[in-house]
Amino acid sequence: MKKLLVPTDFSDQAENALKVAAQIAKKHDCEIFLLHILEMPLQEVDPMGTHSSLPEAMFFMKLAHKKFEELKSKDYLEGLKVHESVDFHEIFKGIFQLCKKQKIDLIIMGSNGANGLREILIGSNTEKVVRTSETPVLVVKKEHKIFNIANFVFASDFKDESKATFKKALEFADKLGAKMHLLMVNTPNKFITSSEANQRMQNFLESFKASNHTLNIYNDMSIEKGIMHFSESIGADLIGMSTHGRQGISHFFNGSISEDLVNHAKRPVITFKI
């Protein structure tokens, strides 16, 4: 883990994510890449276009770089290698391109939940990145003066298709020195016995060398509620899970569980794309 991407709209929520990124970067010698998206179609900033808005685009670019300079002067970024970038894509496309270009290891985003749709990177845009990103996404909900992850809940159906993402989660937990609490949520409409669930989890783990962990089966009315209630019961510092996005094979997490968690969980959430 050497390169962290923090998309920013210069809001308090985005800065909360940057503060977390700074703490991770100092512990693991990472570079931080700041990205600001200007929501202007590319054709509008084409100087050869008939109806170019180039002067307006240049104004907003200069304004963004001025805000970047103010941000980079913050005490918590002292001594860190911080890059800045301004793009004109839709947010998830801009993030995807920068991740590919710079080989980003982790995206860290701010969110204040379901009511923050007025901010460019809050609410629906955060969900869209969670859905589409091939790079793991850490969603931060509040300011963390000390970002210390001791207990990491990883929720899954523990089927073979989740093994690649679990490996990433395991590596992430190892880097943070966190204890993993593997969680399978049992719901009325997808019920299996505790014996079956435990056996599936044991079989799943045979492919990994995972030592610092617990196995947990939790019954609740929905997967989302089960994850949140279990996490609260053990005082978890972070919730992790796999996500399929909107397409792909049939999966345990039908609908948009990861997006619901991003909106409603009080704790940080990290997602790994299958």
Side-chain angles (χ1 to χ4, degrees), residues 152 154 164-174 180 240 272:
F152 176 15
F154 183 80
T165 53
F166 178 68
K167 183 181 179 184
K168 293 178 184 178
L170 203 57
E171 291 170 352
F172 188 73
D174 286 343
M180 287 195 80
F272 304 88

Side-chain angles (χ1 to χ4, degrees), residues 236-253:
D237 304 297
L238 177 67
I239 298 170
M241 63 182 302
S242 308
T243 178
H244 284 259
R246 288 297 192 194
Q247 298 155 5
I249 56 180
S250 173
H251 56 285
F252 182 66
F253 296 111

Side-chain angles (χ1 to χ4, degrees), residues 223-240:
I223 298 169
E224 177 195 349
K225 286 181 179 177
I227 295 170
M228 290 195 292
H229 290 158
F230 174 78
S231 299
E232 186 175 353
S233 74
I234 67 163
D237 304 297
L238 177 67
I239 298 170

